[in-house]
Amino acid sequence: MANILCFNLCLFALYMLLYLTTFEAYNPGFSVQLIRKNSSYSPFSISNHFHKHKHRHLPFSRVPKKPLASGPVTRVISNNGDFLMKLSLGSPPVEIYGLIDTGSDLVWTQCIPCNNCYKQKNPMFEPQRSETYSSIPCDSEECNLVPGQTCSPQKLCGYSYGYADSSVTQGVLSRETTTFSSTNGDSTVVEGIVFGCGHKNTGTFNENDMGIIGLGGGPLSLVSQVGAKYGGRRFSQCLVPFHTDPNSSGTISFGEASDFSGEGVVTTPLVSAEGQTLYLVTLKGISVGDKFVPFDCSNEISKGNIMIDSGTPATYLPQEVYDQLVEELKMQINLRPILDDPDLGTQLCYKSETNLEGPILTAHFDGADVQLMPIQTFISPKDGVFCFAMAGANDGEYIFGNFAQANILIGFDLDKRTVSFKPADCTKQ
């Protein structure tokens, strides 16, 4: 009897061990706020008056757009179109507000020592003060994944990561415990996140930029790293519109927390190759009201002809498509376009104290029609003026930007190779 009792106790103990191990391994995912720079929740918050005047002379068509270089592709531009995500690095944790970017993979921040860096207002991360920091060696698998890798005399993995606007971060590939402040009030701690500790960072950054959080499809992106622990490589985002209260915030969710369903969900194939950074989808055309404008006038639609990029505010289309959209908008909007304002360049703009009432545009992705309301397609570069938030491009590289992505719950599933869309009020997510 004693032997049987002992056996049963051992069996129960084994069951509990397996149960607890399974429970601990199961992580349903988490959601994090997305903050705008002019929000009071941002450490870079300044008055709305300053922001309105700061960009008076920056029409969307004049935002510099460089040809896509080899490697990560994004334009690091600090303006009202930026979305920040807060995370904390190290032990004890140090707060980092990074620009989210689905057009690149590397997560990085400026680190001390930083002798050849742009000026940063907030304190930089000091690896020596963290109990959980470690540098990644040259012979590691992660080192082989980062572009421009070098090997220091100490056998540490150096990197040089460039962007399409000629900005560059250089430093040491590292590993650190990372803490995320979830929207439910809890803190989610993820150990061993690979990031770039930037010791030489140059380009178009300003003193409010603390780094970039790469959300691309490559193996070093935050999505891929978190996905291994939180139910798969998938995430969703809900960006608040440009005109809303600066203190309203969107959300970004990882793992199972990113799943959504219900009425209005449409899905298009993700055309990007496995492990490719960019999120490429196929856009067949855009309708202005009932008037369809094809993406390619020859009706030969190339697969993966446009990328979805959270780090680019405006949407860039082939010049002839953009020109047709402008002409159709002029016909359907019962207002006279502004023609004599040198600040606005050649943009299609209208004088109005409130946003336009129409028309509705529809982006026809492969298998997914996504309606775009005026709040997503017209934005105000200065008081009393609203301009069409798209631009023409002749370089063959086209972008579905974050102005158009606002108020849409967008889910990226790297395992199923899909992108899903659902209309939403992102100020209430």
Side-chain angles (χ1 to χ4, degrees):
M1 176 66 73
N3 289 339
I4 294 175
L5 179 60
C6 182
F7 174 78
N8 287 337
L9 287 173
C10 291
L11 193 63
F12 177 75
L14 178 62
Y15 166 77
M16 289 302 295
L17 178 64
L18 290 173
Y19 173 80
L20 290 173
T21 301
T22 302
F23 180 79
E24 289 175 358
Y26 173 72
N27 295 303
F30 59 94
S31 300
V32 181
Q33 278 189 331
L34 292 178
I35 306 164
R36 288 183 291 174
K37 275 190 178 176
N38 55 338
S39 165
S40 62
Y41 301 115
S42 166
F44 318 123
S45 176
I46 49 182
S47 71
N48 290 339
H49 178 80
F50 175 85
H51 270 273
K52 286 180 181 179
H53 290 272
K54 178 182 177 183
H55 303 289
R56 280 189 182 278
H57 307 292
L58 186 61
F60 313 121
S61 58
R62 294 187 192 174
V63 174
K65 181 176 184 292
K66 298 293 184 73
L68 301 189
S70 58
V73 183
T74 186
R75 291 173 296 123
V76 186
I77 300 169
S78 296
N79 59 27
N80 278 342
D82 287 331
F83 289 89
L84 302 173
M85 175 180 169
K86 186 182 83 169
L87 53 79
S88 297
L89 285 177
S91 305
V94 176
E95 287 187 353
I96 304 293
Y97 288 80
L99 305 172
I100 66 163
D101 181 25
T102 55
S104 65
D105 289 327
L106 187 67
V107 178
W108 67 269
T109 190
Q110 294 206 113
C111 292
I112 294 175
C114 210
N115 298 323
N116 297 302
C117 297
Y118 61 90
K119 181 182 178 182
Q120 180 175 309
K121 182 186 298 184
N122 279 42
M124 296 183 189
F125 180 67
E126 293 189 57
Q128 295 84 354
R129 293 194 174 187
S130 174
E131 299 174 358
T132 49
Y133 172 86
S134 62
S135 301
I136 291 177
C138 302
D139 58 359
S140 67
E141 179 183 351
E142 291 88 351
C143 190
N144 292 325
L145 296 174
V146 70
Q149 69 266 37
T150 58
C151 193
S152 73
Q154 296 78 28
K155 304 298 182 183
L156 301 180
C157 180
Y159 72 88
S160 180
Y161 201 85
Y163 296 84
D165 68 347
S166 300
S167 297
V168 177
T169 174
Q170 294 175 300
V172 177
L173 200 64
S174 308
R175 197 185 305 274
E176 186 57 284
T177 296
T178 305
T179 304
F180 301 90
S181 299
S182 300
T183 53
N184 63 4
D186 297 333
S187 292
T188 300
V189 179
V190 183
E191 296 179 352
I193 291 292
V194 175
F195 77 105
C197 210
H199 297 292
K200 183 179 180 180
N201 314 294
T202 59
T204 60
F205 308 105
N206 69 35
E207 63 180 9
N208 291 328
D209 294 328
M210 300 181 72
I212 292 178
I213 298 176
L215 297 172
L220 286 181
S221 79
L222 186 62
V223 180
S224 296
Q225 295 192 64
V226 169
K229 302 179 181 181
Y230 286 91
R233 297 178 304 154
R234 61 191 192 270
F235 75 101
S236 65
Q237 65 177 39
C238 204
L239 307 181
V240 295
F242 183 76
H243 307 115
T244 52
D245 180 352
N247 292 327
S248 62
S249 59
T251 57
I252 183 166
S253 305
F254 297 90
E256 289 185 12
S258 69
D259 294 345
F260 59 87
S261 58
E263 184 178 354
V265 176
V266 292
T267 301
T268 190
L270 184 60
V271 181
S272 314
E274 175 68 32
Q276 184 178 353
T277 298
L278 306 182
Y279 294 119
L280 299 176
V281 294
T282 304
L283 181 63
K284 295 182 176 180
I286 297 177
S287 291
V288 182
D290 296 328
K291 179 66 175 180
F292 178 73
V293 177
F295 189 87
D296 190 322
C297 296
S298 66
N299 291 322
E300 295 180 4
I301 304 298
S302 300
K303 295 289 185 181
N305 56 14
I306 195 166
M307 67 177 285
I308 300 177
D309 183 11
S310 65
T312 300
T315 291
Y316 289 89
L317 301 168
Q319 187 65 52
E320 61 272 18
V321 176
Y322 171 76
D323 291 341
Q324 289 183 62
L325 290 176
V326 167
E327 291 306 312
E328 192 60 38
L329 286 166
K330 288 179 180 178
M331 292 177 63
Q332 297 192 30
I333 295 174
N334 295 321
L335 293 173
R336 184 175 180 177
I338 300 173
L339 302 176
D340 55 355
D341 191 333
D343 291 346
L344 302 175
T346 59
Q347 291 180 106
L348 176 62
C349 300
Y350 295 93
K351 289 183 178 179
S352 179
E353 294 302 320
T354 59
N355 207 335
L356 308 184
E357 296 182 358
I360 296 172
L361 274 64
T362 304
H364 301 281
F365 296 102
D366 185 11
D369 290 345
V370 178
Q371 283 195 341
L372 303 176
M373 310 304 288
I375 197 170
Q376 295 152 306
T377 55
F378 280 85
I379 65 172
S380 177
K382 62 180 184 178
D383 296 337
V385 174
F386 283 84
C387 297
F388 187 39
M390 298 186 184
N394 293 309
D395 57 10
E397 309 294 347
Y398 310 116
I399 298 171
F400 190 70
N402 67 40
F403 288 149
Q405 295 172 43
N407 270 359
I408 304 174
L409 189 56
I410 304 179
F412 301 81
D413 194 319
L414 279 66
D415 295 323
K416 293 182 179 179
R417 314 304 300 165
T418 59
V419 179
S420 298
F421 306 85
K422 182 180 182 179
D425 182 350
C426 292
T427 64
K428 298 179 180 179
Q429 290 293 309

